[in-house]
């Protein structure tokens, strides 16, 4: 099963969202943006409680306004049901399901709801709740499937019944028989005057319920321990293991939701877990993840990323909004910029996968992303910005080094497809003879006349440096203090033992720190920082 479309209205911080999730859907956004509210809406329909108005609280309504209509609809790729929907504007407040034939399913009940497999692990990671035995907890669903499989295997079920009969005979000890006879006699004596003929029998437990005796036990150096006796990190791993085992063993067509899978996990374990999620998706499950970790984002699969933000809508109401970009939309933008190049979704994704770095992923968590050509700009600009009162980290500004001009347009279109506020910085240098083509491409992307050496300038959305970072910096600093840049560069190489024309990013960082302490900021950098600051949302 797969959810193909999510429509939510007036649920908690959500006024209206409508998007189409992929097989893996990663919800990304700041704290309190509304990621959990999207997952909670899915859980309200498919989770451990039947969705009823009686279960709604004031806080479940957008702006706590019960006059608003809550509507949650999930379109499904399912062999029986095409959608499920909850709508408080309906007279009977019913939870509806529509069949594949397009007609409403009558008498939709819990037994039918179980056909729509869903498991959810929230950020609380409650071990007690997830391993509880009610029918809708993760462990409870496991037990139901175990019971059902046993009932379907008649030969195995009969063997179990025969074994239980033997066990029951073994329980018939002398003291048991004495007690049983005494209880029957006493019971019959009390009812004799009422002319009752009483036979009293003890029955063994119903065989398929024996699975309710299952209980996870941790073994530490040969000693069995209750999971409640160990740290929360170990219990978190146990809940994640249950989550994965459920998907792998019983469903293969489940929808699985998990908040902050990175909790308690070091980076290697996060990457390993994401690979396991990938495999679960290959096996037919759909995974919804809300995360603040870049290890769960793949920039080459940006179609999986749903950016969640709380901001003003057209009616000036603060609400949760989402931004998505399909792979086909991004390919269309790339093809329009490079009309002579053959492109497909696969080729585009492979190219992005080839150039991706961890800092490229970080941009999806930021409010503004600054794309620069190389590491020198990446190291120096935030230092100068901080001296001008703009701390990039405090304001959620990511700076990404493209590693050369040929990747700048790809990154810019990638981020802009998700409506991330983007600022581009590159130089007009053509000294090596290979820069002319990417310069023309970037001019075309920015709506400028295509030139081999575009004019240096600083604008609202981009900056073109004269020559390169070092030349532009030296030129600007000469106007403030002649010789200051060259002196700082020589000092850097002498102090750090660096060879001439090598390790430029290290030198750029050293020079920027020295200049910033002396309150000397290159004019072009000052202008760039001002334009970046203006891009921050109010």
């Amino acid at each position: 099963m797969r959810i193909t479309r999510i429509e939510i209205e007036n649920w908690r911080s959500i006024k209206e969202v409508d998007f189409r999730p992929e097989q893996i859907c990663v919800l990304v956004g700041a704290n309190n943006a509304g990621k959990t509210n999207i997952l909670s809406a899915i859980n309200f329909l498919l989770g451990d409680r039947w969705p009823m108005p009686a279960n709604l609280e004031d806080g479940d309504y957008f702006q706590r306004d019960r006059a608003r209509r809550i509507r949650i609809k999930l379109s499904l790729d399912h062999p029986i049901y095409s959608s499920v929907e909850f709508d408080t504007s309906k007279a009977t407040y019913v939870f509806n399901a529509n069949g594949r034939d397009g007609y409403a399913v009558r008498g939709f009940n819990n037994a039918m709801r179980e056909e729509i497999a869903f498991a959810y692990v929230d950020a609380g990671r409650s071990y007690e709740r997830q391993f509880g035995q009610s029918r809708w907890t993760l462990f409870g669903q496991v037990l139901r499937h175990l019971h059902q499989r046993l009932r379907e295997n008649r030969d195995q079920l009969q063997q179990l019944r025969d074994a239980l009969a033997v066990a029951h005979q073994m329980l018939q000890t002398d003291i048991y028989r004495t007690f049983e006879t005494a209880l029957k006699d006493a019971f019959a004596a009390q009812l004799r005057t009422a002319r009752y003929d009483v036979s009293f029998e003890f029955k063994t437990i119903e065989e398929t319920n024996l699975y309710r005796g299952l209980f996870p036990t941790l073994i530490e150096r040969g000693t069995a321990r209750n999971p409640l006796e160990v740290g929360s990190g170990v219990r978190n791993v146990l809940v994640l293991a249950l989550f994965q085992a459920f998907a792998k063993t019983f469903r293969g067509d489940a929808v699985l939701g998990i908040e902050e899978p990175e909790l308690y996990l070091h980076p290697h374990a996060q990457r390993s877990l994401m690979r396991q999620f990938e495999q679960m998706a290959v096996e037919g499950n759909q995974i919804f993840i809300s995360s603040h970790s870049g290890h769960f984002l793949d920039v080459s699969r940006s179609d999986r990323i749903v950016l969640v933000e709380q901001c003003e809508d057209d009616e000036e109401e603060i609400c949760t909004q989402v931004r998505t970009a399909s792979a086909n939309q991004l390919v269309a933008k790339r093809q329009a910029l490079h009309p002579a190049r053959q492109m497909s979704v696969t080729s585009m994704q492979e190219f992005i996968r080839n150039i991706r770095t961890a800092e490229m992923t970080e941009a999806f968590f930021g409010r503004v992303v600054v794309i620069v050509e190389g590491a020198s700009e990446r190291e120096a600009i935030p230092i100068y910005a901080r001296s001008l009162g703009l701390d990039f980290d405090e304001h959620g500004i990511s700076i990404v080094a493209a590693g050369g001009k040929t990747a700048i347009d790809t990154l810019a279109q990638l981020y802009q497809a998700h409506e991330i506020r983007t600022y581009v910085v590159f130089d007009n240098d053509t000294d090596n003879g290979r820069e002319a083509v990417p310069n023309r491409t970037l001019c075309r992307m920015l709506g400028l006349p295509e030139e081999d050496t575009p004019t240096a300038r600083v604008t609202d959305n981009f900056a073109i440096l004269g020559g390169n970072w070092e030349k532009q910096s030296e030129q600007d600093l000469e106007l403030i203090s002649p010789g200051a840049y060259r002196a700082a560069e020589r000092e850097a190489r002498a102090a750090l033992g660096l060879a001439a024309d090598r390790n430029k990013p290290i030198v750029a960082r050293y020079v920027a720190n020295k200049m910033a302490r002396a309150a000397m900021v290159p004019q072009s950098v000052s202008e760039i920082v001002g334009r970046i600051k203006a891009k921050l949302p109010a």
Side-chain angles (χ1 to χ4, degrees):
M1 183 189 75
R2 181 181 162 210
I3 297 174
T4 58
R5 184 179 181 184
I6 297 173
E7 301 168 70
I8 307 172
E9 296 177 32
N10 297 313
W11 173 259
R12 300 186 181 177
S13 66
I14 300 168
K15 184 177 179 182
E16 182 177 3
V17 299
D18 184 348
F19 67 98
R20 299 177 184 275
E22 293 293 321
Q23 197 75 19
I24 294 179
C25 177
V26 186
L27 302 170
V28 177
N31 291 329
N32 206 39
K35 303 183 297 295
T36 296
N37 291 340
I38 293 173
L39 292 178
S40 70
I42 301 172
N43 189 50
F44 182 74
L45 255 64
L46 305 181
D48 58 2
R49 292 194 303 171
W50 184 268
M52 297 177 60
N55 294 333
L56 294 174
E57 301 176 356
D58 288 350
D60 291 326
Y61 289 81
F62 179 65
Q63 294 186 343
R64 304 178 69 85
D65 182 1
R66 283 185 173 268
R68 293 181 183 260
R69 164 208 193 196
I70 288 181
R71 175 176 173 267
I72 304 170
K73 181 178 180 180
L74 306 177
S75 299
L76 306 174
D77 180 4
H78 186 275
I80 302 174
Y81 307 110
S82 64
S83 66
V84 290
E85 181 178 12
F86 177 84
D87 190 338
T88 59
S89 70
K90 303 287 178 67
T92 55
Y93 294 102
V94 291
F95 172 43
N96 294 317
N98 294 310
R100 295 243 57 91
D101 57 5
Y103 294 100
V105 177
R106 294 189 178 184
F108 191 68
N109 54 37
N110 262 329
M112 296 177 179
R113 193 163 168 246
E114 288 175 7
E115 294 293 326
I116 306 173
F118 176 72
Y120 179 51
V121 176
D122 63 19
R125 294 292 195 278
S126 172
Y127 166 82
E128 295 91 334
R129 179 179 177 278
Q130 296 297 346
F131 275 89
Q133 296 191 354
S134 72
R135 64 187 286 139
W136 292 104
T137 65
L138 260 178
F139 198 53
Q141 292 187 64
V142 169
L143 297 181
R144 282 195 290 108
H145 286 293
L146 289 171
H147 295 165
Q148 184 60 34
R149 299 295 174 85
L150 182 58
R151 290 190 184 99
E152 292 169 357
N153 191 328
R154 295 185 179 181
D155 291 341
Q156 195 170 22
L157 183 58
Q158 188 57 52
Q159 291 176 30
L160 175 60
R161 286 171 175 168
D162 292 343
L164 287 173
V166 173
H168 184 68
Q169 289 299 320
M170 294 176 66
L171 291 172
Q172 307 296 308
T173 62
D174 290 344
I175 190 66
Y176 168 82
R177 291 182 184 282
T178 300
F179 169 74
E180 184 183 43
T181 299
L183 182 57
K184 287 182 177 182
D185 290 347
F187 192 68
Q190 294 296 322
L191 296 174
R192 189 172 296 137
T193 57
R195 299 178 182 175
Y196 278 99
D197 185 12
V198 177
S199 175
F200 195 92
E201 296 180 359
F202 288 101
K203 296 183 66 174
T204 57
I205 188 170
E206 203 276 321
E207 60 274 354
T208 55
N209 282 332
L210 286 172
Y211 285 115
R212 295 193 176 276
L214 285 176
F215 185 79
T217 301
L218 298 176
I219 308 300
E220 183 180 22
R221 298 177 182 177
T223 302
R225 297 187 63 182
N226 187 316
L228 294 175
E229 298 174 2
V230 301
S232 56
V234 176
R235 291 199 299 274
N236 171 63
V237 172
L238 191 56
V239 170
L240 287 179
L242 173 64
F243 180 79
Q244 294 166 259
F246 171 81
K248 183 177 181 63
T249 308
F250 297 104
R251 301 304 311 195
D253 63 347
V255 174
L256 306 167
I258 184 166
E259 291 184 49
E260 301 180 34
E262 65 270 20
L263 287 176
Y264 308 107
L265 299 179
H266 58 75
H268 300 85
Q270 292 181 39
R271 288 194 292 270
S272 175
L273 181 59
M274 186 58 197
R275 286 195 297 273
Q276 293 175 57
F277 286 162
E278 293 276 5
Q279 183 58 38
M280 291 161 67
V282 168
E283 292 167 354
N285 300 289
Q286 185 178 27
I287 318 290
F288 286 84
I289 300 167
S290 71
S291 179
H292 295 97
S293 171
H295 295 300
F296 295 92
L297 269 71
D298 181 352
V299 293
S300 69
R301 292 301 309 272
S302 63
D303 52 326
R304 293 175 170 177
I305 300 172
V306 177
L307 292 185
V308 185
E309 184 179 30
Q310 203 168 134
C311 53
E312 280 191 357
D313 66 358
D314 294 339
E315 297 176 336
E316 299 184 348
E317 291 184 311
I318 302 295
C319 57
T320 292
Q321 300 181 43
V322 300
R323 303 196 300 276
T324 62
S326 74
N328 288 329
Q329 288 173 332
L330 185 55
V331 167
K333 289 180 179 293
R334 302 288 299 135
Q335 192 70 76
L337 185 61
H338 298 276
R341 188 183 301 175
Q342 292 294 322
M343 288 189 189
S344 66
V345 169
T346 300
S347 66
M348 177 192 68
Q349 290 175 343
E350 285 301 318
F351 178 76
I352 296 174
R353 189 172 288 117
N354 187 56
I355 66 170
R356 65 182 174 181
T357 63
E359 68 184 50
M360 292 177 185
T361 298
E362 181 190 302
F364 286 95
F365 298 94
R367 303 168 75 200
V368 174
V369 58
V370 182
I371 304 171
V372 297
E373 185 174 337
S376 294
E377 300 95 301
R378 180 195 63 201
E379 296 297 318
I381 290 176
I383 295 171
Y384 285 124
R386 195 158 48 248
S387 74
L388 294 170
L390 181 65
D391 188 298
F392 276 20
D393 289 333
E394 287 183 4
H395 289 84
I397 301 171
S398 293
I399 185 164
V400 176
K405 286 180 186 172
T406 55
I408 290 177
D409 62 283
T410 303
L411 292 176
Q413 289 192 310
L414 173 67
Y415 300 140
Q416 289 167 0
H418 285 272
E419 301 179 40
I420 299 173
R421 299 169 183 88
T422 304
Y423 196 87
V424 175
V425 180
F426 67 99
D427 62 52
N428 64 4
D429 191 1
T430 57
D431 289 348
N432 60 19
R434 295 192 302 268
E435 301 285 358
V437 172
N439 277 348
R440 290 196 295 271
T441 298
L442 291 172
C443 287
R444 187 163 65 249
M445 181 184 75
L446 298 171
L448 302 174
E450 294 187 31
E451 299 177 287
D452 292 348
T453 308
T455 304
R457 72 194 82 175
V458 177
T459 74
D460 289 344
N461 298 309
F462 65 88
I464 304 175
L465 305 179
N468 56 31
W469 172 259
E470 290 75 22
K471 290 179 181 178
Q472 183 72 69
S473 297
E474 180 179 5
Q475 176 182 311
D476 288 353
L477 289 169
E478 279 295 300
L479 299 176
I480 301 173
S481 177
Y485 177 83
R486 285 297 179 91
E489 186 180 48
R490 288 193 299 270
E491 181 182 317
R493 296 192 178 281
L496 301 175
L498 303 176
D501 297 324
R502 301 286 297 274
N503 306 110
K504 288 184 178 182
I506 300 176
V507 173
R509 184 169 60 246
Y510 187 100
V511 171
N513 276 314
K514 185 176 180 64
M515 296 297 106
R517 286 194 296 270
M520 292 193 296
V521 178
Q523 180 61 32
S524 58
V525 177
S526 180
E527 293 179 17
I528 288 170
V529 171
R531 303 301 174 93
I532 293 170
K533 185 176 183 179
K535 280 193 165 291
L536 288 168

